[in-house]
Amino acid sequence: MMNFAFVFPGQGSQSVGMLDAWGDHPAVAEVLREASDALGEDVARLIHEGPADVLALTTNTQPVMLVAGVAAWRVWLAEGGALPAAVAGHSLGEYSALVASGVLSLSQAAPLVRFRATAMQEAVPVGVGAMAAVLGLPADQVMAVCAKVQASYGDGSIEVVEAVNFNDPVQTVIAGSKAAVEKACEAVKSAGAKRALPLPVSAPFHSSLMRPAAERLKVKLAETVFAPPQIPVINNIDVAVESEPDRIRDALYRQAFGPVRWVECIGAIKARGIHTLVECGPRKVLTSLTKRIDPDLTAAAIFDPSTLGEVKLMLA
């Protein structure tokens, strides 16, 4: 079997019924039981029935996306799939990658992720922060525009706008205070961006406004027992592989208010001699990004029995 990496998506891929295609697969059923026990609620029912607006609440989205990623991973193993040479996850998906690597159990990760989501939601009141996707402008230009817009408010201003998700060479997500993000959206379009799309999110994730949430998360991380990784995990914040539990904790803490350097993560996977990436999640979000980041890489996704079979053939 060829060398490959597994990658796990973050928020945005969720949908009602996203695990239905697996039917009654024992591995998926076990994941749902573990998560339900850890959270004290029926996660299977939440995913199967929704409704969509409830599933879209950050405090629900983060745990269910963790579950969806881990479910695909467990099915892969149950069906005889080999271990990948590396794993990584986009934003929240890094927690799924840590479960796959054995650093955290699902029973540990599910409540940890829900705590993270709650802390993030409470850090900035709904309507105060915002995020937007900037399309068609190189990341360095987006960063320059954000710096110029923020500087326009003067020293000591509460207005913030920062580049927070580097998704592909010409797709960068910005986040911060609502007024500054709106001003930056107009500025990036004037600078040549094709579009600047406001995102339907409830908080400015990965911006410095999330620092209060990160401080709360830091305490919770310190209380959580981390095991050494069994598979290298390439983290978002440093694009680095850490083996010491304290360093993994610190990276997760800083990730909460720091950027997701996904383009560089894909480059780091390729630098390890890996040219095939498999996405574990309900859609093909990271698969599409991979192809735009580096067309020389092969990317596929596992989200139902059919795609599982396709990936097994591809890697044979």
Side-chain angles (χ1 to χ4, degrees), residues 138-205:
D140 58 345
Q141 294 184 45
V142 176
M143 293 172 67
V145 168
C146 287
K148 186 175 181 180
V149 168
Q150 185 158 330
S152 73
Y153 289 103
D155 293 338
S157 173
I158 61 171
E159 302 297 341
V160 171
V161 62
E162 299 157 345
V164 298
N165 287 3
F166 298 94
N167 288 337
D168 75 27
V170 289
Q171 182 193 124
T172 303
V173 174
I174 62 175
S177 56
K178 190 172 186 291
V181 169
E182 289 175 348
K183 187 174 182 179
C185 284
E186 295 305 314
V188 292
K189 286 187 281 189
S190 296
K194 292 180 180 178
R195 303 178 77 182
L197 304 173
L199 298 179
V201 296
S202 56
F205 302 119

Short mmCIF file of all heavy atoms in Angstrom, two decimals, residues 138-205:
data_model
loop_
_atom_site.label_atom_id
_atom_site.label_comp_id
_atom_site.label_asym_id
_atom_site.label_seq_id
_atom_site.Cartn_x
_atom_site.Cartn_y
_atom_site.Cartn_z
N PRO A 138 -3.99 36.83 -3.57
CA PRO A 138 -2.95 36.11 -2.81
C PRO A 138 -2.96 36.48 -1.34
O PRO A 138 -3.28 37.60 -0.95
CB PRO A 138 -1.65 36.57 -3.50
CG PRO A 138 -2.07 36.92 -4.89
CD PRO A 138 -3.44 37.52 -4.74
N ALA A 139 -2.58 35.51 -0.51
CA ALA A 139 -2.66 35.67 0.94
C ALA A 139 -1.84 36.85 1.45
O ALA A 139 -2.28 37.56 2.37
CB ALA A 139 -2.20 34.39 1.62
N ASP A 140 -0.66 37.09 0.87
CA ASP A 140 0.16 38.19 1.38
C ASP A 140 -0.51 39.54 1.15
O ASP A 140 -0.40 40.45 1.99
CB ASP A 140 1.56 38.17 0.74
CG ASP A 140 1.55 38.26 -0.77
OD1 ASP A 140 0.48 38.06 -1.39
OD2 ASP A 140 2.62 38.53 -1.35
N GLN A 141 -1.27 39.66 0.05
CA GLN A 141 -2.00 40.90 -0.19
C GLN A 141 -3.18 41.05 0.76
O GLN A 141 -3.50 42.15 1.21
CB GLN A 141 -2.48 40.95 -1.64
CG GLN A 141 -1.34 41.05 -2.65
CD GLN A 141 -1.84 41.20 -4.08
OE1 GLN A 141 -2.74 41.99 -4.34
NE2 GLN A 141 -1.26 40.45 -5.00
N VAL A 142 -3.84 39.94 1.07
CA VAL A 142 -4.94 39.98 2.04
C VAL A 142 -4.41 40.43 3.41
O VAL A 142 -5.01 41.27 4.08
CB VAL A 142 -5.62 38.61 2.16
CG1 VAL A 142 -6.69 38.63 3.25
CG2 VAL A 142 -6.24 38.20 0.83
N MET A 143 -3.29 39.88 3.80
CA MET A 143 -2.69 40.25 5.08
C MET A 143 -2.32 41.73 5.10
O MET A 143 -2.53 42.43 6.11
CB MET A 143 -1.44 39.40 5.35
CG MET A 143 -1.74 37.92 5.57
SD MET A 143 -0.24 36.91 5.64
CE MET A 143 0.49 37.51 7.16
N ALA A 144 -1.80 42.23 4.00
CA ALA A 144 -1.41 43.64 3.92
C ALA A 144 -2.64 44.54 4.04
O ALA A 144 -2.60 45.58 4.72
CB ALA A 144 -0.66 43.91 2.62
N VAL A 145 -3.71 44.16 3.38
CA VAL A 145 -4.95 44.95 3.45
C VAL A 145 -5.48 44.95 4.88
O VAL A 145 -5.89 46.00 5.41
CB VAL A 145 -6.00 44.41 2.47
CG1 VAL A 145 -7.37 45.04 2.76
CG2 VAL A 145 -5.60 44.67 1.03
N CYS A 146 -5.49 43.79 5.52
CA CYS A 146 -5.98 43.70 6.91
C CYS A 146 -5.16 44.61 7.83
O CYS A 146 -5.72 45.32 8.68
CB CYS A 146 -5.93 42.26 7.42
SG CYS A 146 -7.19 41.19 6.73
N ALA A 147 -3.85 44.59 7.66
CA ALA A 147 -2.98 45.43 8.49
C ALA A 147 -3.27 46.91 8.27
O ALA A 147 -3.31 47.70 9.23
CB ALA A 147 -1.51 45.13 8.18
N LYS A 148 -3.51 47.28 7.02
CA LYS A 148 -3.80 48.68 6.69
C LYS A 148 -5.14 49.11 7.28
O LYS A 148 -5.27 50.20 7.84
CB LYS A 148 -3.78 48.86 5.18
CG LYS A 148 -3.93 50.31 4.72
CD LYS A 148 -3.78 50.43 3.21
CE LYS A 148 -3.90 51.88 2.76
NZ LYS A 148 -3.75 52.01 1.27
N VAL A 149 -6.14 48.24 7.15
CA VAL A 149 -7.47 48.56 7.68
C VAL A 149 -7.42 48.70 9.20
O VAL A 149 -7.96 49.66 9.77
CB VAL A 149 -8.50 47.49 7.28
CG1 VAL A 149 -9.80 47.66 8.06
CG2 VAL A 149 -8.78 47.56 5.78
N GLN A 150 -6.74 47.77 9.85
CA GLN A 150 -6.67 47.84 11.31
C GLN A 150 -5.92 49.09 11.75
O GLN A 150 -6.32 49.76 12.72
CB GLN A 150 -6.02 46.59 11.88
CG GLN A 150 -6.03 46.56 13.41
CD GLN A 150 -5.89 45.16 13.98
OE1 GLN A 150 -6.31 44.18 13.37
NE2 GLN A 150 -5.30 45.08 15.15
N ALA A 151 -4.85 49.43 11.04
CA ALA A 151 -4.07 50.62 11.39
C ALA A 151 -4.90 51.90 11.21
O ALA A 151 -4.67 52.89 11.91
CB ALA A 151 -2.81 50.69 10.54
N SER A 152 -5.86 51.88 10.30
CA SER A 152 -6.68 53.06 10.05
C SER A 152 -7.52 53.48 11.24
O SER A 152 -7.97 54.63 11.34
CB SER A 152 -7.59 52.82 8.83
OG SER A 152 -8.64 51.92 9.15
N TYR A 153 -7.74 52.55 12.16
CA TYR A 153 -8.54 52.87 13.35
C TYR A 153 -7.71 53.53 14.45
O TYR A 153 -8.26 54.05 15.42
CB TYR A 153 -9.19 51.60 13.89
CG TYR A 153 -10.31 51.08 13.02
CD1 TYR A 153 -10.11 49.98 12.19
CD2 TYR A 153 -11.57 51.67 13.03
CE1 TYR A 153 -11.13 49.49 11.38
CE2 TYR A 153 -12.60 51.19 12.24
CZ TYR A 153 -12.37 50.09 11.42
OH TYR A 153 -13.39 49.62 10.63
N GLY A 154 -6.38 53.48 14.29
CA GLY A 154 -5.51 54.10 15.28
C GLY A 154 -5.18 53.20 16.45
O GLY A 154 -5.84 52.19 16.69
N ASP A 155 -4.15 53.56 17.18
CA ASP A 155 -3.71 52.78 18.33
C ASP A 155 -4.78 52.76 19.42
O ASP A 155 -5.45 53.76 19.66
CB ASP A 155 -2.42 53.36 18.91
CG ASP A 155 -1.24 53.22 17.96
OD1 ASP A 155 -1.31 52.34 17.08
OD2 ASP A 155 -0.27 53.99 18.10
N GLY A 156 -4.93 51.62 20.05
CA GLY A 156 -5.88 51.51 21.14
C GLY A 156 -7.30 51.22 20.72
O GLY A 156 -8.18 51.08 21.58
N SER A 157 -7.54 51.12 19.42
CA SER A 157 -8.90 50.84 18.94
C SER A 157 -9.29 49.40 19.26
O SER A 157 -8.45 48.50 19.29
CB SER A 157 -8.99 51.07 17.44
OG SER A 157 -10.25 50.65 16.93
N ILE A 158 -10.58 49.19 19.47
CA ILE A 158 -11.07 47.83 19.71
C ILE A 158 -11.35 47.09 18.40
O ILE A 158 -11.67 45.90 18.42
CB ILE A 158 -12.35 47.85 20.57
CG1 ILE A 158 -13.48 48.61 19.84
CG2 ILE A 158 -12.07 48.44 21.94
CD1 ILE A 158 -14.83 48.50 20.52
N GLU A 159 -11.25 47.80 17.29
CA GLU A 159 -11.52 47.16 16.00
C GLU A 159 -10.35 46.28 15.58
O GLU A 159 -9.19 46.66 15.69
CB GLU A 159 -11.79 48.22 14.91
CG GLU A 159 -12.94 49.16 15.22
CD GLU A 159 -14.27 48.45 15.32
OE1 GLU A 159 -14.41 47.31 14.81
OE2 GLU A 159 -15.21 49.03 15.91
N VAL A 160 -10.68 45.07 15.12
CA VAL A 160 -9.66 44.07 14.77
C VAL A 160 -10.06 43.39 13.47
O VAL A 160 -11.23 43.06 13.26
CB VAL A 160 -9.56 42.99 15.88
CG1 VAL A 160 -8.66 41.84 15.44
CG2 VAL A 160 -9.05 43.59 17.17
N VAL A 161 -9.11 43.19 12.57
CA VAL A 161 -9.33 42.33 11.41
C VAL A 161 -8.01 41.64 11.07
O VAL A 161 -6.97 42.29 10.98
CB VAL A 161 -9.90 43.09 10.20
CG1 VAL A 161 -8.95 44.19 9.71
CG2 VAL A 161 -10.24 42.12 9.07
N GLU A 162 -8.07 40.32 10.91
CA GLU A 162 -6.85 39.52 10.70
C GLU A 162 -7.13 38.40 9.71
O GLU A 162 -8.27 37.93 9.60
CB GLU A 162 -6.40 38.91 12.03
CG GLU A 162 -6.05 39.93 13.11
CD GLU A 162 -6.15 39.37 14.52
OE1 GLU A 162 -6.74 38.30 14.71
OE2 GLU A 162 -5.62 40.03 15.43
N ALA A 163 -6.10 37.96 9.01
CA ALA A 163 -6.20 36.76 8.18
C ALA A 163 -6.07 35.56 9.10
O ALA A 163 -5.10 35.46 9.86
CB ALA A 163 -5.10 36.75 7.13
N VAL A 164 -7.06 34.66 9.07
CA VAL A 164 -7.08 33.57 10.06
C VAL A 164 -7.08 32.16 9.47
O VAL A 164 -6.72 31.22 10.17
CB VAL A 164 -8.28 33.73 11.01
CG1 VAL A 164 -8.17 35.04 11.80
CG2 VAL A 164 -9.61 33.67 10.26
N ASN A 165 -7.51 32.01 8.23
CA ASN A 165 -7.49 30.68 7.60
C ASN A 165 -6.86 30.82 6.22
O ASN A 165 -7.42 31.48 5.34
CB ASN A 165 -8.91 30.11 7.40
CG ASN A 165 -9.56 29.65 8.67
OD1 ASN A 165 -9.00 29.78 9.74
ND2 ASN A 165 -10.76 29.11 8.55
N PHE A 166 -5.71 30.18 6.04
CA PHE A 166 -5.05 30.19 4.74
C PHE A 166 -5.41 28.87 4.04
O PHE A 166 -4.72 27.87 4.17
CB PHE A 166 -3.54 30.35 4.94
CG PHE A 166 -3.18 31.66 5.60
CD1 PHE A 166 -3.00 31.73 6.98
CD2 PHE A 166 -3.05 32.81 4.86
CE1 PHE A 166 -2.68 32.92 7.60
CE2 PHE A 166 -2.73 34.02 5.46
CZ PHE A 166 -2.55 34.08 6.84
N ASN A 167 -6.53 28.90 3.33
CA ASN A 167 -7.13 27.66 2.82
C ASN A 167 -6.54 27.17 1.51
O ASN A 167 -6.39 25.97 1.30
CB ASN A 167 -8.64 27.86 2.66
CG ASN A 167 -9.35 27.92 3.99
OD1 ASN A 167 -8.85 27.42 4.99
ND2 ASN A 167 -10.52 28.53 4.01
N ASP A 168 -6.27 28.08 0.59
CA ASP A 168 -5.55 27.74 -0.63
C ASP A 168 -4.84 29.02 -1.08
O ASP A 168 -5.00 30.07 -0.43
CB ASP A 168 -6.48 27.13 -1.69
CG ASP A 168 -7.41 28.10 -2.39
OD1 ASP A 168 -7.10 29.30 -2.49
OD2 ASP A 168 -8.47 27.67 -2.87
N PRO A 169 -4.03 28.98 -2.12
CA PRO A 169 -3.22 30.16 -2.46
C PRO A 169 -4.01 31.44 -2.70
O PRO A 169 -3.48 32.54 -2.52
CB PRO A 169 -2.47 29.70 -3.71
CG PRO A 169 -2.33 28.22 -3.53
CD PRO A 169 -3.62 27.79 -2.91
N VAL A 170 -5.27 31.32 -3.12
CA VAL A 170 -6.06 32.53 -3.36
C VAL A 170 -7.41 32.47 -2.64
O VAL A 170 -8.38 33.08 -3.06
CB VAL A 170 -6.27 32.77 -4.88
CG1 VAL A 170 -4.97 33.20 -5.53
CG2 VAL A 170 -6.83 31.54 -5.56
N GLN A 171 -7.47 31.75 -1.52
CA GLN A 171 -8.65 31.76 -0.66
C GLN A 171 -8.18 31.90 0.78
O GLN A 171 -7.58 30.99 1.34
CB GLN A 171 -9.49 30.49 -0.79
CG GLN A 171 -10.76 30.54 0.06
CD GLN A 171 -11.46 29.21 0.21
OE1 GLN A 171 -11.69 28.74 1.32
NE2 GLN A 171 -11.80 28.58 -0.90
N THR A 172 -8.46 33.05 1.35
CA THR A 172 -8.05 33.35 2.72
C THR A 172 -9.27 33.86 3.48
O THR A 172 -10.02 34.70 2.99
CB THR A 172 -6.95 34.43 2.74
OG1 THR A 172 -5.84 33.98 1.96
CG2 THR A 172 -6.49 34.71 4.16
N VAL A 173 -9.47 33.34 4.68
CA VAL A 173 -10.57 33.79 5.52
C VAL A 173 -10.05 34.85 6.49
O VAL A 173 -8.97 34.68 7.08
CB VAL A 173 -11.19 32.62 6.29
CG1 VAL A 173 -12.25 33.13 7.28
CG2 VAL A 173 -11.81 31.63 5.32
N ILE A 174 -10.80 35.94 6.62
CA ILE A 174 -10.45 37.00 7.56
C ILE A 174 -11.48 37.01 8.69
O ILE A 174 -12.62 36.56 8.51
CB ILE A 174 -10.37 38.38 6.88
CG1 ILE A 174 -11.73 38.78 6.28
CG2 ILE A 174 -9.29 38.37 5.81
CD1 ILE A 174 -11.74 40.21 5.71
N ALA A 175 -11.08 37.51 9.84
CA ALA A 175 -11.99 37.54 11.00
C ALA A 175 -11.62 38.69 11.91
O ALA A 175 -10.50 39.21 11.88
CB ALA A 175 -11.91 36.22 11.77
N GLY A 176 -12.60 39.07 12.73
CA GLY A 176 -12.37 40.15 13.68
C GLY A 176 -13.67 40.81 14.08
O GLY A 176 -14.73 40.19 14.06
N SER A 177 -13.59 42.09 14.41
CA SER A 177 -14.79 42.84 14.75
C SER A 177 -15.59 43.11 13.48
O SER A 177 -15.04 43.24 12.38
CB SER A 177 -14.42 44.15 15.44
OG SER A 177 -13.54 44.90 14.62
N LYS A 178 -16.91 43.19 13.63
CA LYS A 178 -17.79 43.29 12.47
C LYS A 178 -17.46 44.49 11.57
O LYS A 178 -17.35 44.36 10.35
CB LYS A 178 -19.24 43.37 12.94
CG LYS A 178 -20.28 43.24 11.84
CD LYS A 178 -21.68 43.13 12.45
CE LYS A 178 -22.73 42.86 11.37
NZ LYS A 178 -22.94 44.01 10.49
N ALA A 179 -17.27 45.65 12.17
CA ALA A 179 -17.00 46.86 11.38
C ALA A 179 -15.69 46.74 10.60
O ALA A 179 -15.62 47.11 9.42
CB ALA A 179 -16.97 48.08 12.30
N ALA A 180 -14.67 46.21 11.26
CA ALA A 180 -13.36 46.10 10.60
C ALA A 180 -13.39 45.06 9.49
O ALA A 180 -12.77 45.26 8.43
CB ALA A 180 -12.29 45.76 11.63
N VAL A 181 -14.09 43.96 9.70
CA VAL A 181 -14.20 42.93 8.65
C VAL A 181 -14.95 43.50 7.44
O VAL A 181 -14.55 43.28 6.29
CB VAL A 181 -14.88 41.67 9.20
CG1 VAL A 181 -15.23 40.71 8.06
CG2 VAL A 181 -13.98 40.98 10.21
N GLU A 182 -16.02 44.21 7.69
CA GLU A 182 -16.78 44.81 6.58
C GLU A 182 -15.92 45.81 5.82
O GLU A 182 -15.95 45.85 4.57
CB GLU A 182 -18.04 45.48 7.12
CG GLU A 182 -19.09 44.48 7.62
CD GLU A 182 -20.28 45.15 8.26
OE1 GLU A 182 -20.20 46.38 8.53
OE2 GLU A 182 -21.29 44.46 8.52
N LYS A 183 -15.15 46.62 6.52
CA LYS A 183 -14.26 47.58 5.87
C LYS A 183 -13.19 46.86 5.06
O LYS A 183 -12.85 47.26 3.93
CB LYS A 183 -13.62 48.49 6.92
CG LYS A 183 -12.80 49.64 6.34
CD LYS A 183 -12.33 50.58 7.45
CE LYS A 183 -11.53 51.75 6.88
NZ LYS A 183 -11.10 52.68 7.96
N ALA A 184 -12.65 45.78 5.62
CA ALA A 184 -11.62 45.01 4.92
C ALA A 184 -12.19 44.34 3.68
O ALA A 184 -11.48 44.19 2.66
CB ALA A 184 -11.01 43.97 5.86
N CYS A 185 -13.44 43.91 3.73
CA CYS A 185 -14.06 43.28 2.55
C CYS A 185 -14.10 44.26 1.37
O CYS A 185 -13.83 43.87 0.23
CB CYS A 185 -15.48 42.81 2.88
SG CYS A 185 -15.54 41.30 3.86
N GLU A 186 -14.44 45.50 1.64
CA GLU A 186 -14.43 46.50 0.57
C GLU A 186 -13.01 46.77 0.09
O GLU A 186 -12.75 46.93 -1.11
CB GLU A 186 -15.07 47.80 1.06
CG GLU A 186 -16.55 47.66 1.39
CD GLU A 186 -17.35 47.11 0.22
OE1 GLU A 186 -17.16 47.59 -0.93
OE2 GLU A 186 -18.15 46.18 0.43
N ALA A 187 -12.07 46.79 1.02
CA ALA A 187 -10.67 47.09 0.67
C ALA A 187 -10.04 45.98 -0.17
O ALA A 187 -9.29 46.26 -1.11
CB ALA A 187 -9.86 47.32 1.95
N VAL A 188 -10.33 44.71 0.16
CA VAL A 188 -9.73 43.63 -0.64
C VAL A 188 -10.33 43.59 -2.05
O VAL A 188 -9.62 43.26 -3.01
CB VAL A 188 -9.88 42.24 0.04
CG1 VAL A 188 -9.04 42.16 1.30
CG2 VAL A 188 -11.32 41.88 0.31
N LYS A 189 -11.58 43.95 -2.18
CA LYS A 189 -12.18 44.02 -3.52
C LYS A 189 -11.54 45.14 -4.34
O LYS A 189 -11.26 44.97 -5.52
CB LYS A 189 -13.70 44.19 -3.42
CG LYS A 189 -14.41 42.91 -2.99
CD LYS A 189 -15.91 43.01 -3.05
CE LYS A 189 -16.48 43.76 -1.88
NZ LYS A 189 -17.96 43.69 -1.83
N SER A 190 -11.25 46.24 -3.68
CA SER A 190 -10.55 47.33 -4.36
C SER A 190 -9.13 46.92 -4.74
O SER A 190 -8.58 47.41 -5.73
CB SER A 190 -10.50 48.57 -3.46
OG SER A 190 -11.80 49.06 -3.20
N ALA A 191 -8.56 45.99 -3.97
CA ALA A 191 -7.20 45.52 -4.23
C ALA A 191 -7.15 44.42 -5.29
O ALA A 191 -6.06 43.96 -5.66
CB ALA A 191 -6.56 45.01 -2.95
N GLY A 192 -8.32 43.98 -5.75
CA GLY A 192 -8.35 43.00 -6.83
C GLY A 192 -8.97 41.66 -6.51
O GLY A 192 -9.00 40.77 -7.37
N ALA A 193 -9.47 41.48 -5.30
CA ALA A 193 -10.13 40.21 -4.96
C ALA A 193 -11.39 40.04 -5.80
O ALA A 193 -12.12 41.00 -6.08
CB ALA A 193 -10.50 40.18 -3.48
N LYS A 194 -11.65 38.81 -6.22
CA LYS A 194 -12.85 38.54 -7.00
C LYS A 194 -14.11 38.69 -6.15
O LYS A 194 -15.12 39.24 -6.59
CB LYS A 194 -12.79 37.12 -7.58
CG LYS A 194 -11.72 36.94 -8.65
CD LYS A 194 -11.73 35.51 -9.18
CE LYS A 194 -10.65 35.31 -10.25
NZ LYS A 194 -10.63 33.91 -10.74
N ARG A 195 -14.03 38.18 -4.92
CA ARG A 195 -15.17 38.25 -4.03
C ARG A 195 -14.70 38.32 -2.58
O ARG A 195 -13.61 37.87 -2.26
CB ARG A 195 -16.10 37.04 -4.21
CG ARG A 195 -16.62 36.84 -5.60
CD ARG A 195 -17.49 35.60 -5.72
NE ARG A 195 -18.83 35.81 -5.16
CZ ARG A 195 -19.76 34.86 -5.10
NH1 ARG A 195 -19.50 33.65 -5.57
NH2 ARG A 195 -20.94 35.12 -4.60
N ALA A 196 -15.58 38.84 -1.73
CA ALA A 196 -15.35 38.81 -0.29
C ALA A 196 -16.70 38.44 0.33
O ALA A 196 -17.61 39.28 0.37
CB ALA A 196 -14.86 40.15 0.22
N LEU A 197 -16.81 37.20 0.74
CA LEU A 197 -18.10 36.65 1.16
C LEU A 197 -18.21 36.55 2.67
O LEU A 197 -17.44 35.82 3.30
CB LEU A 197 -18.28 35.24 0.56
CG LEU A 197 -18.16 35.11 -0.96
CD1 LEU A 197 -18.18 33.65 -1.36
CD2 LEU A 197 -19.29 35.87 -1.64
N PRO A 198 -19.17 37.26 3.27
CA PRO A 198 -19.40 37.08 4.70
C PRO A 198 -19.79 35.63 4.99
O PRO A 198 -20.54 35.01 4.24
CB PRO A 198 -20.57 38.03 4.99
CG PRO A 198 -20.53 39.03 3.88
CD PRO A 198 -20.05 38.26 2.68
N LEU A 199 -19.27 35.07 6.08
CA LEU A 199 -19.55 33.69 6.44
C LEU A 199 -20.61 33.62 7.54
O LEU A 199 -20.58 34.44 8.46
CB LEU A 199 -18.27 32.99 6.91
CG LEU A 199 -17.15 32.89 5.88
CD1 LEU A 199 -15.93 32.20 6.49
CD2 LEU A 199 -17.60 32.15 4.63
N PRO A 200 -21.50 32.65 7.44
CA PRO A 200 -22.57 32.54 8.45
C PRO A 200 -22.07 31.84 9.72
O PRO A 200 -22.43 30.70 10.01
CB PRO A 200 -23.62 31.70 7.72
CG PRO A 200 -22.83 30.83 6.79
CD PRO A 200 -21.66 31.67 6.36
N VAL A 201 -21.23 32.52 10.46
CA VAL A 201 -20.68 31.96 11.69
C VAL A 201 -21.06 32.86 12.86
O VAL A 201 -21.41 34.03 12.68
CB VAL A 201 -19.15 31.81 11.61
CG1 VAL A 201 -18.77 30.81 10.53
CG2 VAL A 201 -18.49 33.15 11.34
N SER A 202 -20.95 32.32 14.05
CA SER A 202 -21.40 33.04 15.24
C SER A 202 -20.28 33.69 16.03
O SER A 202 -20.54 34.34 17.04
CB SER A 202 -22.18 32.07 16.15
OG SER A 202 -21.37 30.96 16.47
N ALA A 203 -19.04 33.52 15.59
CA ALA A 203 -17.91 34.11 16.31
C ALA A 203 -16.72 34.26 15.35
O ALA A 203 -16.64 33.54 14.35
CB ALA A 203 -17.52 33.24 17.50
N PRO A 204 -15.79 35.17 15.64
CA PRO A 204 -14.61 35.38 14.78
C PRO A 204 -13.50 34.39 15.12
O PRO A 204 -12.49 34.73 15.74
CB PRO A 204 -14.21 36.81 15.10
CG PRO A 204 -14.63 37.00 16.52
CD PRO A 204 -15.88 36.19 16.70
N PHE A 205 -13.69 33.14 14.72
CA PHE A 205 -12.78 32.07 15.09
C PHE A 205 -11.35 32.35 14.62
O PHE A 205 -11.11 32.89 13.54
CB PHE A 205 -13.26 30.75 14.50
CG PHE A 205 -14.64 30.36 14.95
CD1 PHE A 205 -15.68 30.22 14.04
CD2 PHE A 205 -14.92 30.18 16.30
CE1 PHE A 205 -16.95 29.87 14.46
CE2 PHE A 205 -16.19 29.83 16.73
CZ PHE A 205 -17.21 29.68 15.81
#
